[in-house]
Amino acid sequence: MRSDGALSRFFDFVEDGVREEDYRISKTSSPARLDTDTPENRWLVTVQNSETPLSARFVNWFSKKGVALFNSLYRIAAVIICFTLIGVLLAVVSFLPAFGSADNPAVNEVVERYVSKSVEETGAVNAVAGMISAYRGFDTLGEAHVLFVAACSVIALLRVDPSERRHGRLINPDMLGEDMDFEPNGDPILRKSAKLLVPLAFIFGLYVILNGTSSPGGGFSGGSLIGAGLILNSVAFGFKRTERFFGDEMYHLVKTICLTLYALMMAYFIFMGANSFDDHIWLGVPGGIISGGLIFPINIVVGLEVACTMYCFYALFRKGGF
Amino acid sequence: MAFVQNFPFMTIVFSLTCGVFCAVLRGKWAKRLCLAWLAVTFAMSLSVLVYTLKSGGYYIYRMGKWDAPWGNEIRVGILEALMASVFSGVMLLSVLGGLHHIFEDCEAEKTNLYFTMISLLMSSLFALIYTNDLFTGYVFVEINTIASCALVMLKSSSKTLVATTRYLIMSLLGSGLFLLGIVILYGITGELLMESIGAKVQEIFAQGEYSLPITVIIGLFSVGLAVKSALFPFHSWLPDAHGSATASSSAVLSGLVLKGYIILLIKIFYRVFGLEIIVSERVSNFLFLFGALAMICGSIGALRERDLKRMLAYSSVAQIGYIYVGIGMHSDIGMTAACVQILAHAITKPMLFICSGGFMDVSGGHKGMASITGAGLRDPLGGAAFTVGALSMTGIPFFAGFVTKLTLTEGALETSTPMMVMALGAIAVSTLLNALYYIPVIFNLFTKPKDGAYSSLRARYTPAYAGALTVFIALNLGFGIFSQSVVDAVSRGLAMFGI
Amino acid sequence: MREFFSNLFTNYYETAAMILFGIGFTTLLMHRNLVKKIIGFNFMDSAIYLFLAAKGYIAGRLAPIITDGNTDPSNYVNPIPTGLVLTGIVVSVSVTAFMLALTCRLYDRFHTLDIDEITYLARKERD
């Protein structure tokens, strides 16, 4: 390990901050007792219990006081940083154009076209849908993949083998009891209300997805509604009921097909648009369900992807897999 | 429109799809798909580079039916194509070089996710290189953040989990500041496309009305991206993250991911604000100062480190300092030096990390300096590659690192006197320190261990490992010998980079 | 000075957003408890969405959904911030999930949420 010269300590201090330096002192002077929870307690215990020579006692005393001192300094620093940042940002706000005024610089030719040409060019009555899925569709493609990459990371972190999954994600046996007590077991209120709400959530989510081009909503919001319905279903009736129609393989299938279709549609759209070819996309009847050209299928695939990702997050956090 | 011009968008979009497929394939097939696709992107980027060099200009590619302020667009010039080719090539080589480590370090059924992350990372790097729109930049910065954190975390041990958490927290702080900068800038200009914002900012700046907000916005962008690219005072997360990940991850994170953010920052400086505003706001002076400090403090950190991978990680902090010093010189030659350093470091540091992975193999999985004594004898090719990389980092002529130091010195001679003295001093001290910590490692690698530890271990040369190292060595020497043409291409690319 | 405060009052949404951002940023940076760090991160992002939403609002105008065939842009509010907020929310949901998963794993391993404590215990493990 590192040499412990004065210079080296100084650099440790500069790089790692004072806390880890303190930890090291406590470690060299006596075995730290990890069962006492907070760092402060630990040093207290060390000082009281040990019959150490004076120098080591001084080091202990210093480390204890040092930590207390450092803690208060840390708090003060936090407050100072917070207020400085807020002050600077408020100074910026005082320069900004007035709230709600029509002549603010953000209202320019870009906005005009999004509003006035959206129906004609994208077929979407909802100008926001036209903007996010057609005009700036590339951003939204990236956004859907942010959700995908997060889902993959959570799978990598929390997924456990089905064989080890008997007691849920927490494999550590002494953690078992307390946490699993919260698992609802046939709670009648929950079941009755879920019976009422789950179909409603599905239907409403579907409605929001399908009408994404002509009314507020779209793939992301409708998808999270359906996801909430799935989660409520498995909370009330247990995972088995949900896994009958939505399991591990189903999740991977839906996710892959949706994202691939989405990327292919966007690739077709971008390729045709960039090369100024005619893309033969039928824009549909503005205001109807099938309208907005590609926006309609994009809403569907995004909705499905979001729904199953939301449920996937829940299942992984709850029991480490489907 | 020539068909080649479609390649940049294809590399971005289909890398995403490749990642999606890797997530459902088994590890072995995910590996094959990912490697094949990386090779294809490399070929595509090369052909784009050839096309832009021939046509001698840049072109705007519309992402959809609508022109720029309405739709998204990407912009492809010589510099972007050069970066994309080097990045995809290095990514391919890094994954190849550390291939068997990936399969050893990740849990068996999660190996495919590693290749998912690599594909998505590649896609976001391409997007950061090519994008011409700030908000697209933000979305792909987030993909980049999550994917790179996941790359650290996939080697599952408690150490990597802690490193990932710290890395993620710092990255989130950085992206929060970056997003706030975009949002305030949108509030005062009403645009998201870089060129349009640039035009508006020039107008606003000439009126002098918004001088404080502009200063704060530049500060937010610089601090946000500096945190993510580990500029000196914000580097505390880097040694843990890069030191504990698997060899390929460290190579990719050190060599490429940090650079993606810097390229975005250079773009913002050139296209959104223009160099005059940056200079008059004195932001470049701060970047210069912290870059110079990073060169020295990073090297000192590396000098004190007794763990090979953490030493390399600290060396990255110093090398990032070189880039920021180049940017901070606010001259064309300084910017050229910064871009050359991005390329040179991108081909050198991954090689060193791959070698360190090889040394761990022949030293019983340890990476302390004492354990790797004689590792160069047990793994001669790795030893040779490490020597080349270390000499390049030190700045010996005919290696890649020398080109940077030369260009940076040229740039320093053109600046004002105090800055010149500081830059030259920092370069001199840093070179000395580089030599001080790299040369002993080389000697250590080729000394026979006294107790004959691990003497029975011999490097197992898989074609992937041997091939990757050979190509890396060739690249490094080629970069050093044909440096003039690279520098020319970079300065030509930079000339057409601005508004 | 008076002008400064009157501007802040006119832009009260933005003012609130910036105060929230400051609080969230500091919590994410300085707080030791991982869960509180995550809460701070969500504060920070919500503040940015509040700011964006306020930027898009124009007094007396309608949501940009053109149902009656009236395509005059002076009738509707700005649709761009809405789209940006949507993107931002998705990103923040993803990052929060990732961060919470990491916290779960760390808690399983070390039985504490204090990041300094966790760092110390992890370093100790290496020795």
Side-chain angles (χ1 to χ4, degrees):
Chain A
M1 274 310 291
R2 302 173 183 182
S3 61
D4 264 7
L7 189 68
S8 137
R9 282 220 176 163
F10 172 72
F11 282 116
D12 281 349
F13 170 73
V14 170
E15 275 153 24
D16 305 336
V18 86
R19 285 187 58 86
E20 285 149 20
E21 181 71 4
D22 292 337
Y23 279 131
R24 197 168 296 140
I25 292 172
S26 93
K27 202 172 59 183
T28 47
S29 57
S30 78
R33 292 195 25 183
L34 293 179
D35 45 336
T36 50
D37 274 325
T38 60
E40 287 86 354
N41 282 352
R42 192 189 312 145
W43 277 299
L44 221 62
V45 171
T46 335
V47 173
Q48 284 162 355
N49 289 359
S50 56
E51 294 189 5
T52 39
L54 199 63
S55 59
R57 247 190 228 184
F58 176 74
V59 169
N60 276 337
W61 173 84
F62 182 78
S63 67
K64 188 184 102 196
K65 281 287 172 194
V67 166
L69 189 71
F70 179 73
N71 276 344
S72 53
L73 277 182
Y74 193 83
R75 293 225 172 88
I76 294 169
V79 172
I80 290 174
I81 289 180
C82 184
F83 277 100
T84 322
L85 186 66
I86 291 177
V88 170
L89 292 177
L90 285 185
V92 173
V93 167
S94 74
F95 280 90
L96 292 181
F99 169 69
S101 71
D103 55 350
N104 100 37
V107 185
N108 52 16
E109 75 283 356
V110 184
V111 175
E112 269 171 32
R113 177 149 171 191
Y114 282 165
V115 174
S116 59
K117 294 273 179 67
S118 165
V119 178
E120 183 188 320
E121 288 181 341
T122 67
V125 166
N126 178 356
V128 178
M131 182 215 135
I132 60 171
S133 315
Y135 286 110
R136 299 178 64 86
F138 180 53
D139 283 359
T140 314
L141 179 72
E143 186 189 338
H145 284 83
V146 175
L147 204 56
F148 164 73
V149 68
C152 284
S153 318
V154 177
I155 289 177
L157 275 169
L158 295 184
R159 197 185 148 80
V160 283
D161 263 349
S163 54
E164 295 170 22
R165 209 188 289 154
R166 281 194 312 274
H167 305 297
R169 188 178 56 73
L170 303 165
I171 305 167
N172 195 339
D174 42 297
M175 310 268 309
L176 248 172
E178 45 189 295
D179 207 67
M180 298 309 274
D181 285 346
F182 296 110
E183 188 82 58
N185 265 327
D187 185 276
I189 301 175
L190 186 61
R191 288 206 165 181
K192 291 282 178 213
S193 42
K195 253 185 196 155
L196 192 70
L197 282 178
V198 168
L200 219 60
F202 283 160
I203 293 175
F204 185 50
L206 214 60
Y207 170 83
V208 170
I209 291 178
L210 293 182
N211 282 290
T213 49
S214 49
S215 70
F220 288 100
S221 26
S224 33
L225 276 166
I226 296 183
L230 281 170
I231 293 173
L232 184 57
N233 194 34
S234 46
V235 168
F237 306 113
F239 281 100
K240 288 233 166 66
R241 278 279 288 272
T242 317
E243 276 162 22
R244 252 189 252 162
F245 60 94
F246 193 83
D248 196 2
E249 286 175 2
M250 188 69 175
Y251 164 68
H252 284 298
L253 194 71
V254 171
K255 185 183 73 179
T256 315
I257 290 180
C258 286
L259 283 173
T260 314
L261 273 181
Y262 187 13
L264 285 181
M265 279 192 282
M266 274 321 289
Y268 172 77
F269 177 71
I270 291 172
F271 181 78
M272 289 308 199
N275 292 293
S276 313
F277 297 147
D278 184 8
D279 54 11
H280 302 290
I281 298 171
W282 182 58
L283 288 183
V285 190
I289 283 195
I290 300 181
S291 64
L294 280 182
I295 303 177
F296 179 66
I298 284 177
N299 271 338
I300 295 178
V301 292
V302 169
L304 288 175
E305 198 244 336
V306 172
C308 60
T309 307
M310 289 298 146
Y311 177 68
C312 159
F313 281 154
Y314 175 74
L316 284 167
F317 276 102
R318 201 74 202 86
K319 59 166 198 162
F322 289 91
Chain B
M1 181 178 273
F3 190 69
V4 186
Q5 288 174 309
N6 290 307
F7 284 174
F9 120 78
M10 289 180 180
T11 51
I12 299 175
V13 172
F14 293 130
S15 297
L16 294 174
T17 312
C18 172
V20 172
F21 277 121
C22 285
V24 288
L25 292 175
R26 304 199 67 111
K28 218 183 198 179
W29 285 98
K31 171 191 82 182
R32 288 175 190 160
L33 178 66
C34 178
L35 288 176
W37 176 250
L38 282 179
V40 172
T41 53
F42 177 59
M44 280 177 160
S45 306
L46 263 190
S47 51
V48 173
L49 176 61
V50 172
Y51 174 82
T52 45
L53 279 176
K54 245 187 218 160
S55 67
Y58 68 91
Y59 67 90
I60 301 273
Y61 187 85
R62 191 167 71 178
M63 301 292 273
K65 261 199 282 194
W66 298 282
D67 277 329
W70 295 282
N72 291 114
E73 70 173 27
I74 55 179
R75 177 173 143 146
V76 186
I78 295 175
L79 190 63
E80 285 98 329
L82 185 63
M83 296 274 183
S85 322
V86 171
F87 278 28
S88 51
V90 170
M91 180 76 94
L92 179 64
L93 291 175
S94 310
V95 177
L96 274 179
L99 205 53
H100 60 280
H101 289 110
I102 296 174
F103 282 87
E104 281 160 20
D105 286 340
C106 300
E107 289 173 46
E109 54 185 68
K110 288 170 187 167
T111 328
N112 57 345
L113 292 177
Y114 192 92
F115 297 101
T116 301
M117 297 304 163
I118 289 281
S119 310
L120 288 164
L121 198 61
M122 196 66 245
S123 167
S124 67
L125 284 174
F126 279 133
L128 291 184
I129 292 171
Y130 289 128
T131 184
N132 206 11
D133 186 292
L134 271 184
F135 204 73
T136 314
Y138 169 70
V139 172
F140 282 91
V141 160
E142 288 295 344
I143 296 188
N144 205 335
T145 304
I146 303 182
S148 49
C149 286
L151 280 184
V152 178
M153 164 211 94
L154 274 165
K155 176 184 177 182
S156 62
S157 73
S158 42
K159 228 188 311 163
T160 53
L161 283 180
V162 177
T164 313
T165 312
R166 296 179 55 149
Y167 181 19
L168 189 59
I169 290 168
M170 291 313 276
S171 300
L172 292 183
L173 289 170
S175 26
L177 292 178
F178 181 62
L179 179 61
L180 187 67
I182 296 180
V183 167
I184 298 179
L185 198 55
Y186 179 74
I188 61 175
T189 61
E191 305 275 355
L192 289 169
L193 185 79
M194 288 186 186
E195 265 103 20
S196 316
I197 306 178
K200 285 265 173 69
V201 164
Q202 297 294 341
E203 209 175 286
I204 288 170
F205 194 75
Q207 290 166 2
E209 201 178 328
Y210 283 119
S211 66
L212 176 78
I214 287 182
T215 316
V216 174
I217 292 167
I218 297 177
L220 288 173
F221 281 139
S222 309
V223 175
L225 291 172
V227 169
K228 287 169 104 56
S229 57
L231 181 59
F232 163 62
F234 314 115
H235 69 281
S236 60
W237 54 268
L238 186 138
D240 282 339
H242 293 194
S244 61
T246 179
S248 291
S249 301
S250 309
V252 167
L253 294 175
S254 239
L256 307 179
V257 171
L258 299 175
K259 314 296 167 25
Y261 304 125
I262 295 178
I263 292 172
L264 192 61
L265 190 66
I266 294 180
K267 273 189 174 182
I268 289 173
F269 280 2
Y270 261 86
R271 293 203 195 135
V272 175
F273 296 107
L275 282 189
E276 291 87 37
I277 294 183
I278 299 290
V279 174
S280 69
E281 298 285 344
R282 300 185 198 289
V283 178
S284 55
N285 290 0
F286 280 106
L287 291 182
F288 178 85
L289 189 65
F290 285 125
L293 280 175
M295 283 161 70
I296 295 171
C297 293
S299 302
I300 292 177
L303 194 60
R304 292 167 49 247
E305 202 51 71
R306 306 305 304 158
D307 172 316
L308 181 63
K309 283 184 80 169
R310 284 177 65 90
M311 187 198 93
L312 293 176
Y314 270 111
S315 155
S316 286
V317 174
Q319 300 289 326
I320 293 293
Y322 281 82
I323 303 179
Y324 276 102
V325 165
I327 295 175
M329 282 175 188
H330 58 72
S331 62
D332 285 338
I333 183 129
M335 226 34 130
T336 311
C339 293
V340 170
Q341 166 68 0
I342 290 178
L343 296 173
H345 189 238
I347 61 174
T348 313
K349 192 44 77 59
M351 172 165 73
L352 291 172
F353 270 115
I354 298 294
C355 292
S356 75
F359 296 151
M360 279 166 70
D361 273 353
V362 292
S363 310
H366 298 289
K367 52 189 170 134
M369 288 298 175
S371 317
I372 60 163
T373 307
L377 299 171
R378 302 188 289 264
D379 179 0
L381 182 59
F386 194 93
T387 312
V388 169
L391 293 180
S392 159
M393 285 286 166
T394 320
I396 306 292
F398 304 113
F399 293 108
F402 175 69
V403 186
T404 319
K405 287 188 178 160
L406 191 66
T407 329
L408 208 56
T409 315
E410 276 173 36
L413 293 177
E414 281 187 7
T415 51
S416 58
T417 320
M419 204 182 236
M420 181 179 85
V421 173
M422 272 177 67
L424 291 181
I427 294 173
V429 173
S430 167
T431 307
L432 186 71
L433 289 171
N434 278 341
L436 274 180
Y437 63 79
Y438 272 122
I439 305 295
V441 177
I442 299 177
F443 280 119
N444 185 22
L445 281 177
F446 290 104
T447 318
K448 266 216 162 82
K450 278 184 206 123
D451 50 356
Y454 310 119
S455 54
S456 60
L457 288 172
R458 280 283 171 276
R460 185 167 51 91
Y461 288 117
T462 57
Y465 176 66
L469 284 186
T470 320
V471 177
F472 265 133
I473 295 175
L475 260 181
N476 207 312
L477 290 173
F479 193 100
I481 292 165
F482 301 105
S483 60
Q484 201 48 48
S485 52
V486 179
V487 176
D488 283 347
V490 167
S491 54
R492 267 176 73 198
L494 268 178
M496 61 179 85
F497 208 60
I499 301 172
Chain C
M1 207 58 194
R2 248 183 90 192
E3 201 187 351
F4 174 76
F5 281 109
S6 77
N7 279 339
L8 285 191
F9 270 110
T10 330
N11 292 339
Y12 57 99
Y13 273 109
E14 283 95 329
T15 309
M18 289 312 176
I19 294 175
L20 282 176
F21 184 89
I23 295 171
F25 184 86
T26 318
T27 315
L28 178 57
L29 180 68
M30 305 292 268
H31 213 290
R32 292 203 197 118
N33 186 317
L34 275 172
V35 174
K36 291 189 182 166
K37 269 187 194 292
I38 299 173
I39 294 173
F41 166 71
N42 278 294
F43 253 67
M44 199 169 87
D45 270 11
S46 309
I48 293 177
Y49 311 145
L50 180 63
F51 185 91
L52 263 176
K55 280 280 130 224
Y57 175 72
I58 302 168
R61 296 196 185 177
L62 302 171
I65 292 166
I66 304 129
T67 41
D68 51 358
N70 183 351
T71 55
D72 183 7
S74 65
N75 274 338
Y76 301 103
V77 301
N78 185 350
I80 299 178
T82 323
L84 303 190
V85 169
L86 178 71
T87 309
I89 288 176
V90 174
V91 168
S92 132
V93 166
S94 319
V95 174
T96 308
F98 184 24
M99 191 79 184
L100 280 172
L102 270 173
T103 310
C104 275
R105 280 288 295 271
L106 286 175
Y107 187 79
D108 281 0
R109 184 81 192 71
F110 297 108
H111 300 278
T112 172
L113 287 173
D114 186 324
I115 180 75
D116 290 343
E117 183 95 7
I118 290 174
T119 314
Y120 163 67
L121 290 175
R123 290 211 174 166
K124 194 161 171 288
E125 215 165 67
R126 178 174 58 180
D127 295 343

